[in-house]
Amino acid sequence: MPPRLKAYLWIVILLGLGAGGLDLRLLAQETIPLADWLERLVWFGLLLGVSHFPIVSSSGGAVSTLNSALNYCLLLSFGAAFAGPAVALNSVYLNLIRRRASWYKVLFNAAQMLLAVNLAHLLFRWAGGQTGQTPDLAQPLSYLQLVLPFMGVVSANLLLVSLAVRLERGTPLGQQMRASHYFDLGGNTILLYLGAQLFYLRIELGWLGVALATVPLVWVHTYLRRYNELKLVHARLDESNQSLRERGEELERGNRVLEDLNCNLGSQGDRLRAQTQELEAANQQLQLMNEDLQHTRRTLVRAEKLKTMGQMAGGVAHDFNNILGAIIARSELLQLEELPPAVRNGLASIHRSALDGAAVVRRIQDFSRVREQQDFERLDLNELVEDSLEMTRALWRDGAHRLGLTYEIHRDCPAPVAAWGNAAELREVLHNLILNALDAMPGGGTLSISTRIRGEGVELVLTDTGQGMGRNVLEHIFDPFFTTKERGNGLGLSVCFGIIDRHQGEIRAESEPGRGSTFHITLPAPPADSVAPLPAAPSTRETLQGGRPHTALVVDDEPDVRAVLVDTLRLMGHEVREAASAPEGLVIWREQRPELVFTDLGMPGMNGWEFADRLRQEAGERQPLVILVTGWGAQIKQEDLQRHAVDRVLPKPFKLKELDRLLRQLDEAATNGEAGDGASGPVGDGTVGPVGAGF
């Protein structure tokens, strides 16, 4: 509702309520006998009854009734004190009960009727009229007592309603008043006469006069209704004729245009046929291009989602590196002890799973940047299948038996099938596909896995007898965060897609509802000059020398990571002190001046960069070797290492052999006299740069 219309409605409503309150106050002050009250109630009921006989206006607007004549008779008979509230209640009845109008329209119509009746009463009294008394018609001016009040009611209603419509719709005031739903001049004249005649008959003959007035009232109602309906039909016919004339003119103009076009059709026919053939050829090309664009768009959207997922998970990867670092190093330390074979095998499985987890974390960190090198090697695809089945055995055999389920595993894996890739990543792909297959067979079923050499590459096919997928699901299974599981996160297959894509391979799925699913994975074959990796020799106390003995300081706020690094260095024969924060590490370094300082990067209070800067400022000529131990190792920039004079980066999680190799390299560099302020990259990828001051 426009603000000006709202303000106008509230002004009219408040003024009307004020007028109504004044009428009720005057009515309460009058002494009215019971018989007069009964008569007034009968008149009020008659007013409500007449409201049921509508007369449609000639303008086709809203509906009006014969109660205008009765309103006028009540005003002349009983004055505004009774006529005002009665007319207002009749308006509320018409708008609220019968027409179901909104509340503000109900209040506005009742208020404007109260204002109009009180205005008419003032005009009646100004002309010398007396309530309940007939004017002396022998005097010409007495006719004003009859005409002015009625015209006041009609004019006030017309003006108040037209102003409201003007503010609501923007229609010009004069146009709205002409198109108002009130009767035109002829109808108003008849209602004026009937209202005055009804008043005179009531005064002179009482209820007999009212009964006699029923005949002209019914006649007028019938006449006005039919008259206005005929005017409506006539107006609609005029509109239809005008519309037909306009359409006829348009058709004539169109006919002339068609004739002109028809003259040119003969010469343009051959040209159109040639253009049609060209358009058909272009349409085929566009369809092919559209298919390519759709495929490219889906690929780009999937890649963008994977990038976004990697950026969100980058921070979480650092925390996992701390956890996995403690697990990997501690499991390697335990394997150095004399242990029963079962325990040693369990530790080896834990160590291998932790290494796979570390590879997963590295891939999460790689989502937001381009990998500079591929850590691929020659692999036996069948061994990866067996490793993945062994890792999931607790689900498809042990756990299934406890639930009374049976999963059959069929292998068709002729040995050997050599592939080129990363073992940890491909094990993760197989692990995810096996888990999805088990989820698709909640009541048990068969899982078939086959490997074979195909062309210049190798292929792995995994088929289940599960519930299958529809086409609408199949199109989105590799999209990040898309899942049909109640507790799934929608990342498993999108990670598989990213891994296979990084291997320059292809993964695709085939499925139908109720007929299971089949996943095809193609991978490149190893290069001709590649060789199978030698099995890693187990670490022993003798192989972990760590160079010659040194004094070392380990600073890390993670107790588990700090403890495993301290234990490893001591096992290598070094004298080690430890600190839980950078300020505590500064105190220890000032007391003992150790040769090696291992520090974490992200620590509360003072981080690793600030700690390294403080060491360089206080060390003077005898500079220690600073090794940064952090889960952000692969994301550290070389310029940051040089700016803070950090000698080495040991990325978490690290293996004992990586730490041993780092210390040996530092010893060799010190023996060869390679001293300077440079810094090296992470040692986990085999990169060795210049070192800082020697021992």
Side-chain angles (χ1 to χ4, degrees):
M1 182 185 300
R4 292 193 300 173
L5 175 60
K6 183 183 295 184
Y8 171 73
L9 293 181
W10 277 112
I11 291 173
V12 174
I13 290 172
L14 292 177
L15 290 176
L17 292 177
L22 181 61
D23 292 341
L24 292 176
R25 181 179 178 183
L26 294 175
L27 184 63
Q29 293 176 355
E30 294 181 8
T31 302
I32 303 174
L34 179 60
D36 290 346
W37 271 114
L38 292 176
E39 182 183 5
R40 297 185 184 201
L41 292 177
V42 172
W43 276 102
F44 179 68
L46 183 61
L47 179 64
L48 295 178
V50 172
S51 300
H52 284 262
F53 299 97
I55 301 175
V56 182
S57 70
S58 60
S59 62
V63 175
S64 186
T65 61
L66 281 176
N67 56 6
S68 298
L70 287 180
N71 292 344
Y72 181 54
C73 181
L74 289 179
L75 175 63
L76 298 178
S77 301
F78 305 109
F82 174 74
V87 170
L89 290 175
N90 180 57
S91 176
V92 172
Y93 167 74
L94 278 175
N95 290 281
L96 183 63
I97 304 301
R98 295 194 59 199
R99 298 176 186 169
R100 305 293 183 183
S102 55
W103 64 271
Y104 65 88
K105 289 186 178 180
V106 173
L107 292 178
F108 172 77
N109 287 325
Q112 58 98 4
M113 290 300 297
L114 283 168
L115 292 175
V117 169
N118 280 274
L119 175 62
H121 181 69
L122 290 176
L123 294 175
F124 179 67
R125 296 297 300 272
W126 176 78
Q130 295 293 327
T131 303
Q133 297 181 9
T134 58
D136 186 5
L137 299 180
Q139 300 179 5
L141 294 179
S142 63
Y143 285 97
L144 291 176
Q145 299 175 13
L146 299 176
V147 176
L148 284 179
F150 187 84
M151 296 307 297
V153 171
V154 173
S155 300
N157 287 340
L158 179 61
L159 180 61
L160 292 172
V161 173
S162 298
L163 279 174
V165 176
R166 168 72 176 84
L167 294 174
E168 180 180 22
R169 304 176 184 174
T171 307
L173 185 60
Q175 178 182 348
Q176 178 57 38
M177 293 181 69
R178 289 192 299 271
S180 175
H181 60 274
Y182 292 96
F183 308 135
D184 46 20
L185 183 59
N188 286 328
T189 303
I190 295 174
L191 292 176
L192 168 63
Y193 171 77
L194 288 177
Q197 188 67 31
L198 184 62
F199 169 64
Y200 271 89
L201 290 175
R202 173 190 171 278
I203 297 298
E204 299 297 334
L205 300 178
W207 287 105
L208 178 61
V210 175
L212 292 175
T214 303
V215 176
L217 282 174
V218 172
W219 179 83
V220 168
H221 169 265
T222 304
Y223 165 75
L224 289 177
R225 183 170 185 174
R226 291 179 179 177
Y227 173 73
N228 284 291
E229 288 176 351
L230 288 175
K231 290 183 69 176
L232 282 176
V233 172
H234 182 71
R236 291 170 182 168
L237 287 175
D238 289 341
E239 293 177 357
S240 299
N241 289 333
Q242 181 64 25
S243 177
L244 288 175
R245 283 194 295 271
E246 293 175 355
R247 293 294 301 275
E249 294 175 356
E250 292 179 0
L251 289 175
E252 289 179 0
R253 290 193 297 269
N255 186 41
R256 288 193 295 270
V257 172
L258 288 176
E259 289 177 355
D260 295 338
L261 292 175
N262 188 42
C263 295
N264 298 327
L265 284 177
S267 60
Q268 294 181 354
D270 296 336
R271 187 187 308 170
L272 288 176
R273 282 190 291 270
Q275 292 178 352
T276 300
Q277 295 176 356
E278 293 177 359
L279 287 175
E280 290 178 352
N283 185 46
Q284 294 177 355
Q285 294 180 356
L286 286 176
Q287 289 179 351
L288 295 176
M289 294 173 63
N290 183 55
E291 293 176 358
D292 293 340
L293 286 175
Q294 292 294 331
H295 176 73
T296 303
R297 184 187 65 83
R298 288 193 295 268
T299 304
L300 291 176
V301 169
R302 186 179 294 121
E304 186 63 25
K305 289 181 178 180
L306 290 174
K307 179 180 178 181
T308 302
M309 181 182 67
Q311 291 174 347
M312 290 189 298
V316 180
H318 172 264
D319 296 333
F320 275 105
N321 277 334
N322 286 332
I323 298 171
L324 293 172
I327 295 174
I328 292 173
R330 185 63 66 183
S331 62
E332 287 188 350
L333 286 176
L334 289 175
Q335 290 183 75
L336 299 179
E337 305 294 337
E338 295 294 334
L339 299 172
V343 176
R344 181 173 296 278
N345 292 337
L347 285 174
S349 179
I350 293 173
H351 183 259
R352 182 171 59 251
S353 298
L355 290 177
D356 289 348
V360 172
V361 172
R362 284 197 302 274
R363 288 197 303 279
I364 292 176
Q365 292 175 323
D366 288 340
F367 274 133
S368 58
R369 68 181 193 277
V370 179
R371 181 186 291 269
E372 297 180 357
Q373 60 181 15
Q374 302 283 4
D375 48 351
F376 291 169
E377 58 186 355
R378 186 184 185 93
L379 303 172
D380 185 354
L381 202 56
N382 296 334
E383 290 184 3
L384 297 180
V385 171
E386 293 301 325
D387 289 344
S388 300
L389 290 174
E390 182 64 27
M391 293 172 66
T392 57
R393 183 182 296 273
L395 296 175
W396 58 265
R397 191 184 67 177
D398 302 336
H401 288 174
R402 286 195 299 270
L403 298 175
L405 303 176
T406 300
Y407 292 103
E408 296 183 3
I409 308 297
H410 292 171
R411 303 175 180 84
D412 182 13
C413 305
V417 177
W420 184 248
N422 181 282
E425 294 181 359
L426 295 179
R427 270 196 297 266
E428 182 179 0
V429 172
L430 290 171
H431 187 270
N432 283 334
L433 293 180
I434 292 173
L435 293 184
N436 285 346
L438 297 179
D439 290 340
M441 300 183 292
T446 301
L447 175 64
S448 302
I449 303 177
S450 63
T451 60
R452 62 176 178 268
I453 299 174
R454 182 177 180 182
E456 297 181 356
V458 296
E459 183 181 37
L460 183 144
V461 180
L462 187 145
T463 303
D464 63 65
T465 59
Q467 301 168 351
M469 296 174 287
R471 183 179 181 85
N472 56 337
V473 175
L474 197 62
E475 292 178 351
H476 300 284
I477 58 173
F478 296 115
D479 293 344
F481 308 111
F482 176 81
T483 181
T484 58
K485 302 177 184 178
E486 295 181 359
R487 298 183 179 180
N489 54 27
L491 296 178
L493 289 179
S494 64
V495 170
C496 294
F497 178 87
I499 292 173
I500 299 302
D501 184 69
R502 196 172 74 85
H503 280 70
Q504 298 181 354
E506 181 184 2
I507 179 171
R508 58 185 177 86
E510 299 174 355
S511 182
E512 292 183 11
R515 302 186 63 178
S517 303
T518 299
F519 285 84
H520 298 264
I521 298 175
T522 57
L523 294 169
D529 57 350
S530 64
V531 295
L534 297 175
S539 299
T540 64
R541 293 180 181 271
E542 291 72 17
T543 59
L544 294 178
Q545 297 296 328
R548 61 184 179 85
H550 300 288
T551 57
L553 170 62
V554 178
V555 183
D556 199 317
D557 61 327
E558 292 288 341
D560 293 336
V561 178
R562 185 176 69 249
V564 73
L565 182 55
V566 169
D567 292 346
T568 304
L569 290 173
R570 287 175 178 168
L571 181 64
M572 294 177 176
H574 304 291
E575 181 182 349
V576 187
R577 292 290 302 275
E578 60 181 296
S581 65
E584 182 183 352
L586 284 174
V587 173
I588 297 176
W589 185 84
R590 292 178 186 132
E591 294 175 354
Q592 298 189 356
R593 299 276 177 161
E595 301 168 287
L596 301 176
V597 177
F598 294 84
T599 177
D600 188 18
L601 176 58
M603 295 183 293
M606 182 187 300
N607 60 32
W609 297 127
E610 297 170 341
F611 178 58
D613 293 340
R614 290 288 298 275
L615 287 178
R616 297 304 183 194
Q617 293 172 5
E618 298 184 12
E621 296 181 357
R622 187 181 178 186
Q623 293 284 336
L625 289 172
V626 179
I627 298 97
L628 195 64
V629 186
T630 176
W632 303 98
Q635 295 174 296
I636 300 297
K637 297 181 179 179
Q638 192 70 20
E639 52 266 26
D640 292 334
L641 297 175
Q642 295 175 353
R643 183 170 62 254
H644 297 283
V646 173
D647 298 282
R648 286 289 190 275
V649 175
L650 183 63
K652 299 176 185 176
F654 59 86
K655 302 177 184 178
L656 299 187
K657 287 187 176 182
E658 293 174 353
L659 177 60
D660 179 69
R661 185 174 65 212
L662 168 65
L663 296 176
R664 291 177 183 272
Q665 290 172 352
L666 291 175
D667 273 347
E668 293 175 0
T671 301
N672 297 331
E674 297 179 5
D677 296 330
S680 75
V683 300
D685 57 5
T687 303
V688 180
V691 298
F695 294 120

